[in-house]
């Protein structure tokens, strides 16, 4: 199982070089993995005795990359016991795989994927990581359906038969497209000309008109969407009926509005669906370390919000809501009890 996870993770991260954006799989720990787990919590010799925190994010064209950089930079400035570093990754599912495998200690993904990893369902079937813990629920991560003005795509149903980017097969983005397009009656991916490319490549192809549209899931504003909407593209509404149908099978979805003016040439509000992002960690991280990380994050949230728009306006009382019933790390729970968010 361990070899399988390593191969999947390596393949997914390698796929970023050709524009693929997300990975798959986490796995249950075996006894022979204990040395690796211990190593993940020991600082390298050149690290001054500090605990190394690896924090994978996503592709550089997505908002999550900047979010991770802002958070780790803050921790390095305010938590003396750690040396935190963010890096590009293949996205949420791969992030969960890396944390479960001990190759990373902290990361972010949509709460639905975290739930699946914790419980061994969907992309994580038979490969649960039962010791996954939440640090904080963050911001809502919206689906952003982009189409060229010439494509004739003005609803999800219009995507049928179109040349449409859906990221890597099995990725978070691919699964989002699958859930939504299946909900509106399409056979996915057979009913469209699916392009397995990531955000950056999709933005370029939208700009030059070589694809009709792309499915992008990222905090708004996202660089790839800005590029596309500045070049003869528009966002597609996900209507209320589709939202209601989605929630029947996927209760973690929430309605979300991308406000007019968020992107170039966006003159009207756009309705879409969203899932909350959650920052999570390995359960075996020391309680005091996670307490310090959690406290630093919320103590400096105003500064973080100025550095990265997706973190602006976050409140600690919302950190324990809409996180798919993930258990909090004891260190995080200690902080939330200290400030009165938890009893």
């Amino acid at each position: 199982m361990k070899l399988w996870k390593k191969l999947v993770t390596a393949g997914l991260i390698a796929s970023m070089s050709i524009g693929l954006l997300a990975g798959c799989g986490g796995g249950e720990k075996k006894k022979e993995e204990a040395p690796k787990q211990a190593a993940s919590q020991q600082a390298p010799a050149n690290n001054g005795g500090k605990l190394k925190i690896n924090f994978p994010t996503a592709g550089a064209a997505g908002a999550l990359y900047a979010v991770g950089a802002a958070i780790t930079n803050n921790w390095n400035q305010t938590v003396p016991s750690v040396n935190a570093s963010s890096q590009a990754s293949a996205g949420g599912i791969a992030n969960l795989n890396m944390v479960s495998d001990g190759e990373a200690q902290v990361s972010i993904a949509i709460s639905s994927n975290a739930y699946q990893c914790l419980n061994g369902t969907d992309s994580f079937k038979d490969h649960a990581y039962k010791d996954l813990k939440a640090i904080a629920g963050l911001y809502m991560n919206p689906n952003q359906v982009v189409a060229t003005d010439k494509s004739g795509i003005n609803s999800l149903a219009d995507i049928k038969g179109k040349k449409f980017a859906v990221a890597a097969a099995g990725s978070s983005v691919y699964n989002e497209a699958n859930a939504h397009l299946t909900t509106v009656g399409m056979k996915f991916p057979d009913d469209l000309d699916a392009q397995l490319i990531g955000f950056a490549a999709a933005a370029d192809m939208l700009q030059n008109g070589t694809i009709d549209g792309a499915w992008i899931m990222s905090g708004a504003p996202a660089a790839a969407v800005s590029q596309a909407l500045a070049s003869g593209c528009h966002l597609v509404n996900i209507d209320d009926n589709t939202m209601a149908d989605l929630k029947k099978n996927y209760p973690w979805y929430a309605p979300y509005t991308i406000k007019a003016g968020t992107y170039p040439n966006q003159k009207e509000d756009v309705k879409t669906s969203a899932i909350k992002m959650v920052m999570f960690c390995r359960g075996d991280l020391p309680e005091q370390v996670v307490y310090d990380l959690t406290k630093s994050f919320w103590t400096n949230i105003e500064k973080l919000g100025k550095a990265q728009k997706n973190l602006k306006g976050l409140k600690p009382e919302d950190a324990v809501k809409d996180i798919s019933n993930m258990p909090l790390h004891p260190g995080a729970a200690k902080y939330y009890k200290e400030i009165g968010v938890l009893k």
Side-chain angles (χ1 to χ4, degrees), residues 61-64 67 139-144 199 216-225 256 258 262-263 277 308-310:
L64 189 55
V67 168
Y139 56 91
M140 298 304 290
N141 200 40
N143 283 293
Q144 302 181 61
F199 296 171
I216 294 175
M217 191 182 204
S218 177
V225 181
Y256 185 93
I258 302 173
T262 300
Y263 292 111
M277 299 297 295
Q308 221 298 315
K309 291 182 179 180
N310 287 286

mmCIF file of all heavy atoms in Angstrom, residues 61-64 67 139-144 199 216-225 256 258 262-263 277 308-310:
data_model
loop_
_atom_site.group_PDB
_atom_site.id
_atom_site.type_symbol
_atom_site.label_atom_id
_atom_site.label_comp_id
_atom_site.label_asym_id
_atom_site.label_seq_id
_atom_site.Cartn_x
_atom_site.Cartn_y
_atom_site.Cartn_z
ATOM 1 N N ALA A 61 -0.653 28.817 -10.221
ATOM 2 C CA ALA A 61 -1.695 29.666 -10.816
ATOM 3 C C ALA A 61 -2.949 29.753 -9.956
ATOM 4 O O ALA A 61 -3.837 30.540 -10.240
ATOM 5 C CB ALA A 61 -2.062 29.140 -12.212
ATOM 6 N N GLY A 62 -3.017 28.963 -8.883
ATOM 7 C CA GLY A 62 -4.186 28.975 -8.017
ATOM 8 C C GLY A 62 -3.968 29.806 -6.765
ATOM 9 O O GLY A 62 -2.825 30.072 -6.356
ATOM 10 N N ALA A 63 -5.054 30.220 -6.124
ATOM 11 C CA ALA A 63 -4.967 31.066 -4.930
ATOM 12 C C ALA A 63 -4.331 30.334 -3.760
ATOM 13 O O ALA A 63 -3.699 30.956 -2.895
ATOM 14 C CB ALA A 63 -6.355 31.562 -4.549
ATOM 15 N N LEU A 64 -4.485 29.011 -3.694
ATOM 16 C CA LEU A 64 -3.985 28.257 -2.549
ATOM 17 C C LEU A 64 -2.473 28.366 -2.405
ATOM 18 O O LEU A 64 -1.939 28.321 -1.290
ATOM 19 C CB LEU A 64 -4.400 26.790 -2.681
ATOM 20 C CG LEU A 64 -4.151 25.889 -1.472
ATOM 21 C CD1 LEU A 64 -4.798 26.452 -0.219
ATOM 22 C CD2 LEU A 64 -4.666 24.482 -1.749
ATOM 23 N N VAL A 67 -1.892 31.492 -0.490
ATOM 24 C CA VAL A 67 -2.390 31.317 0.872
ATOM 25 C C VAL A 67 -1.365 30.576 1.723
ATOM 26 O O VAL A 67 -1.030 30.993 2.843
ATOM 27 C CB VAL A 67 -3.729 30.552 0.875
ATOM 28 C CG1 VAL A 67 -4.110 30.103 2.281
ATOM 29 C CG2 VAL A 67 -4.837 31.430 0.295
ATOM 30 N N TYR A 139 -11.794 29.554 4.299
ATOM 31 C CA TYR A 139 -12.709 30.272 3.416
ATOM 32 C C TYR A 139 -13.431 29.300 2.496
ATOM 33 O O TYR A 139 -13.030 28.142 2.335
ATOM 34 C CB TYR A 139 -11.933 31.300 2.583
ATOM 35 C CG TYR A 139 -10.792 30.699 1.777
ATOM 36 C CD1 TYR A 139 -10.986 30.257 0.466
ATOM 37 C CD2 TYR A 139 -9.520 30.570 2.325
ATOM 38 C CE1 TYR A 139 -9.953 29.706 -0.266
ATOM 39 C CE2 TYR A 139 -8.476 30.015 1.594
ATOM 40 C CZ TYR A 139 -8.701 29.581 0.300
ATOM 41 O OH TYR A 139 -7.673 29.022 -0.417
ATOM 42 N N MET A 140 -14.498 29.785 1.898
ATOM 43 C CA MET A 140 -15.214 28.967 0.929
ATOM 44 C C MET A 140 -14.444 28.955 -0.389
ATOM 45 O O MET A 140 -13.952 29.993 -0.856
ATOM 46 C CB MET A 140 -16.614 29.512 0.698
ATOM 47 C CG MET A 140 -17.489 29.513 1.946
ATOM 48 S SD MET A 140 -17.666 27.883 2.726
ATOM 49 C CE MET A 140 -18.676 27.030 1.509
ATOM 50 N N ASN A 141 -14.325 27.789 -0.986
ATOM 51 C CA ASN A 141 -13.574 27.617 -2.228
ATOM 52 C C ASN A 141 -14.573 27.389 -3.365
ATOM 53 O O ASN A 141 -15.180 26.320 -3.460
ATOM 54 C CB ASN A 141 -12.634 26.416 -2.102
ATOM 55 C CG ASN A 141 -11.518 26.447 -3.107
ATOM 56 O OD1 ASN A 141 -10.956 27.491 -3.391
ATOM 57 N ND2 ASN A 141 -11.170 25.287 -3.655
ATOM 58 N N PRO A 142 -14.793 28.376 -4.211
ATOM 59 C CA PRO A 142 -15.846 28.258 -5.227
ATOM 60 C C PRO A 142 -15.408 27.538 -6.495
ATOM 61 O O PRO A 142 -14.256 27.629 -6.922
ATOM 62 C CB PRO A 142 -16.179 29.721 -5.536
ATOM 63 C CG PRO A 142 -14.896 30.443 -5.303
ATOM 64 C CD PRO A 142 -14.217 29.733 -4.165
ATOM 65 N N ASN A 143 -16.352 26.846 -7.090
ATOM 66 C CA ASN A 143 -16.174 26.359 -8.454
ATOM 67 C C ASN A 143 -16.351 27.545 -9.399
ATOM 68 O O ASN A 143 -17.297 28.321 -9.262
ATOM 69 C CB ASN A 143 -17.206 25.276 -8.769
ATOM 70 C CG ASN A 143 -16.840 23.955 -8.137
ATOM 71 O OD1 ASN A 143 -15.857 23.327 -8.513
ATOM 72 N ND2 ASN A 143 -17.625 23.531 -7.150
ATOM 73 N N GLN A 144 -15.428 27.671 -10.347
ATOM 74 C CA GLN A 144 -15.472 28.779 -11.297
ATOM 75 C C GLN A 144 -15.432 28.188 -12.706
ATOM 76 O O GLN A 144 -14.405 27.673 -13.141
ATOM 77 C CB GLN A 144 -14.307 29.736 -11.049
ATOM 78 C CG GLN A 144 -14.334 30.274 -9.621
ATOM 79 C CD GLN A 144 -13.218 31.254 -9.311
ATOM 80 O OE1 GLN A 144 -13.108 32.309 -9.930
ATOM 81 N NE2 GLN A 144 -12.386 30.908 -8.349
ATOM 82 N N PHE A 199 -4.764 24.554 -14.502
ATOM 83 C CA PHE A 199 -5.261 25.926 -14.585
ATOM 84 C C PHE A 199 -4.431 26.809 -15.512
ATOM 85 O O PHE A 199 -4.963 27.554 -16.333
ATOM 86 C CB PHE A 199 -5.276 26.575 -13.192
ATOM 87 C CG PHE A 199 -6.202 25.929 -12.202
ATOM 88 C CD1 PHE A 199 -6.156 26.299 -10.873
ATOM 89 C CD2 PHE A 199 -7.120 24.962 -12.582
ATOM 90 C CE1 PHE A 199 -7.009 25.722 -9.934
ATOM 91 C CE2 PHE A 199 -7.972 24.377 -11.666
ATOM 92 C CZ PHE A 199 -7.907 24.755 -10.334
ATOM 93 N N ILE A 216 -12.456 25.458 -13.044
ATOM 94 C CA ILE A 216 -11.425 25.912 -12.123
ATOM 95 C C ILE A 216 -12.030 26.000 -10.731
ATOM 96 O O ILE A 216 -13.075 26.615 -10.535
ATOM 97 C CB ILE A 216 -10.858 27.277 -12.559
ATOM 98 C CG1 ILE A 216 -10.110 27.111 -13.899
ATOM 99 C CG2 ILE A 216 -9.933 27.863 -11.497
ATOM 100 C CD1 ILE A 216 -9.601 28.405 -14.492
ATOM 101 N N MET A 217 -11.389 25.357 -9.762
ATOM 102 C CA MET A 217 -11.818 25.489 -8.369
ATOM 103 C C MET A 217 -10.697 26.157 -7.607
ATOM 104 O O MET A 217 -9.610 25.604 -7.443
ATOM 105 C CB MET A 217 -12.162 24.143 -7.748
ATOM 106 C CG MET A 217 -12.868 24.298 -6.403
ATOM 107 S SD MET A 217 -13.231 22.724 -5.608
ATOM 108 C CE MET A 217 -14.621 23.203 -4.563
ATOM 109 N N SER A 218 -10.956 27.367 -7.153
ATOM 110 C CA SER A 218 -9.922 28.146 -6.480
ATOM 111 C C SER A 218 -10.576 29.311 -5.773
ATOM 112 O O SER A 218 -11.680 29.737 -6.122
ATOM 113 C CB SER A 218 -8.905 28.667 -7.511
ATOM 114 O OG SER A 218 -7.927 29.480 -6.903
ATOM 115 N N GLY A 219 -9.904 29.824 -4.769
ATOM 116 C CA GLY A 219 -10.376 31.044 -4.146
ATOM 117 C C GLY A 219 -10.428 32.163 -5.170
ATOM 118 O O GLY A 219 -9.626 32.219 -6.098
ATOM 119 N N ALA A 220 -11.403 33.038 -5.008
ATOM 120 C CA ALA A 220 -11.564 34.144 -5.945
ATOM 121 C C ALA A 220 -11.025 35.442 -5.312
ATOM 122 O O ALA A 220 -11.290 35.707 -4.140
ATOM 123 C CB ALA A 220 -13.039 34.317 -6.305
ATOM 124 N N PRO A 221 -10.247 36.205 -6.069
ATOM 125 C CA PRO A 221 -9.921 36.007 -7.488
ATOM 126 C C PRO A 221 -8.768 35.026 -7.682
ATOM 127 O O PRO A 221 -7.866 34.951 -6.856
ATOM 128 C CB PRO A 221 -9.501 37.415 -7.930
ATOM 129 C CG PRO A 221 -8.922 38.036 -6.698
ATOM 130 C CD PRO A 221 -9.722 37.496 -5.555
ATOM 131 N N ALA A 222 -8.802 34.296 -8.774
ATOM 132 C CA ALA A 222 -7.746 33.369 -9.162
ATOM 133 C C ALA A 222 -7.062 33.902 -10.413
ATOM 134 O O ALA A 222 -7.724 34.400 -11.325
ATOM 135 C CB ALA A 222 -8.329 31.984 -9.435
ATOM 136 N N ALA A 223 -5.744 33.780 -10.466
ATOM 137 C CA ALA A 223 -4.974 34.342 -11.576
ATOM 138 C C ALA A 223 -5.423 33.783 -12.924
ATOM 139 O O ALA A 223 -5.535 34.521 -13.906
ATOM 140 C CB ALA A 223 -3.488 34.077 -11.363
ATOM 141 N N ALA A 224 -5.695 32.481 -12.971
ATOM 142 C CA ALA A 224 -6.084 31.856 -14.239
ATOM 143 C C ALA A 224 -7.412 32.411 -14.742
ATOM 144 O O ALA A 224 -7.602 32.620 -15.948
ATOM 145 C CB ALA A 224 -6.171 30.347 -14.077
ATOM 146 N N VAL A 225 -8.350 32.663 -13.827
ATOM 147 C CA VAL A 225 -9.654 33.199 -14.220
ATOM 148 C C VAL A 225 -9.512 34.658 -14.660
ATOM 149 O O VAL A 225 -10.126 35.092 -15.635
ATOM 150 C CB VAL A 225 -10.673 33.058 -13.069
ATOM 151 C CG1 VAL A 225 -12.031 33.604 -13.493
ATOM 152 C CG2 VAL A 225 -10.805 31.593 -12.654
ATOM 153 N N TYR A 256 -22.687 30.140 -3.478
ATOM 154 C CA TYR A 256 -21.633 31.162 -3.380
ATOM 155 C C TYR A 256 -21.830 32.157 -4.520
ATOM 156 O O TYR A 256 -22.191 31.766 -5.642
ATOM 157 C CB TYR A 256 -20.258 30.493 -3.491
ATOM 158 C CG TYR A 256 -19.077 31.417 -3.281
ATOM 159 C CD1 TYR A 256 -18.516 31.569 -2.024
ATOM 160 C CD2 TYR A 256 -18.520 32.131 -4.347
ATOM 161 C CE1 TYR A 256 -17.422 32.400 -1.820
ATOM 162 C CE2 TYR A 256 -17.434 32.975 -4.146
ATOM 163 C CZ TYR A 256 -16.888 33.097 -2.879
ATOM 164 O OH TYR A 256 -15.812 33.924 -2.683
ATOM 165 N N ILE A 258 -19.923 35.077 -6.750
ATOM 166 C CA ILE A 258 -18.720 35.809 -7.159
ATOM 167 C C ILE A 258 -19.187 37.210 -7.542
ATOM 168 O O ILE A 258 -19.868 37.394 -8.547
ATOM 169 C CB ILE A 258 -18.014 35.117 -8.340
ATOM 170 C CG1 ILE A 258 -17.647 33.671 -7.968
ATOM 171 C CG2 ILE A 258 -16.758 35.896 -8.748
ATOM 172 C CD1 ILE A 258 -17.107 32.858 -9.129
ATOM 173 N N THR A 262 -15.172 41.284 -9.466
ATOM 174 C CA THR A 262 -14.098 40.435 -8.945
ATOM 175 C C THR A 262 -13.047 40.203 -10.014
ATOM 176 O O THR A 262 -11.846 40.137 -9.730
ATOM 177 C CB THR A 262 -14.654 39.089 -8.456
ATOM 178 O OG1 THR A 262 -15.617 39.320 -7.421
ATOM 179 C CG2 THR A 262 -13.554 38.183 -7.925
ATOM 180 N N TYR A 263 -13.511 40.112 -11.258
ATOM 181 C CA TYR A 263 -12.624 39.841 -12.396
ATOM 182 C C TYR A 263 -12.771 40.913 -13.472
ATOM 183 O O TYR A 263 -13.791 41.622 -13.518
ATOM 184 C CB TYR A 263 -12.943 38.465 -12.985
ATOM 185 C CG TYR A 263 -12.584 37.319 -12.081
ATOM 186 C CD1 TYR A 263 -13.570 36.539 -11.476
ATOM 187 C CD2 TYR A 263 -11.252 37.013 -11.831
ATOM 188 C CE1 TYR A 263 -13.231 35.483 -10.640
ATOM 189 C CE2 TYR A 263 -10.902 35.960 -10.994
ATOM 190 C CZ TYR A 263 -11.893 35.203 -10.407
ATOM 191 O OH TYR A 263 -11.542 34.158 -9.588
ATOM 192 N N MET A 277 -12.689 25.383 2.592
ATOM 193 C CA MET A 277 -11.318 24.908 2.712
ATOM 194 C C MET A 277 -11.021 24.651 4.185
ATOM 195 O O MET A 277 -11.480 25.387 5.066
ATOM 196 C CB MET A 277 -10.339 25.953 2.184
ATOM 197 C CG MET A 277 -10.512 26.303 0.727
ATOM 198 S SD MET A 277 -10.224 24.918 -0.403
ATOM 199 C CE MET A 277 -8.481 24.601 -0.117
ATOM 200 N N GLN A 308 -3.098 38.212 1.771
ATOM 201 C CA GLN A 308 -3.779 37.300 0.857
ATOM 202 C C GLN A 308 -5.286 37.472 1.027
ATOM 203 O O GLN A 308 -5.849 37.218 2.090
ATOM 204 C CB GLN A 308 -3.369 35.854 1.157
ATOM 205 C CG GLN A 308 -3.143 35.013 -0.081
ATOM 206 C CD GLN A 308 -4.398 34.868 -0.929
ATOM 207 O OE1 GLN A 308 -5.466 34.619 -0.421
ATOM 208 N NE2 GLN A 308 -4.272 35.010 -2.237
ATOM 209 N N LYS A 309 -5.963 37.881 -0.041
ATOM 210 C CA LYS A 309 -7.372 38.255 0.033
ATOM 211 C C LYS A 309 -8.274 37.141 0.535
ATOM 212 O O LYS A 309 -9.289 37.401 1.193
ATOM 213 C CB LYS A 309 -7.856 38.733 -1.343
ATOM 214 C CG LYS A 309 -7.277 40.057 -1.785
ATOM 215 C CD LYS A 309 -7.835 40.473 -3.136
ATOM 216 C CE LYS A 309 -7.271 41.813 -3.575
ATOM 217 N NZ LYS A 309 -7.811 42.226 -4.905
ATOM 218 N N ASN A 310 -7.932 35.902 0.254
ATOM 219 C CA ASN A 310 -8.795 34.799 0.681
ATOM 220 C C ASN A 310 -8.814 34.612 2.190
ATOM 221 O O ASN A 310 -9.706 33.950 2.719
ATOM 222 C CB ASN A 310 -8.355 33.499 0.006
ATOM 223 C CG ASN A 310 -8.719 33.471 -1.463
ATOM 224 O OD1 ASN A 310 -9.875 33.312 -1.814
ATOM 225 N ND2 ASN A 310 -7.733 33.671 -2.331
#
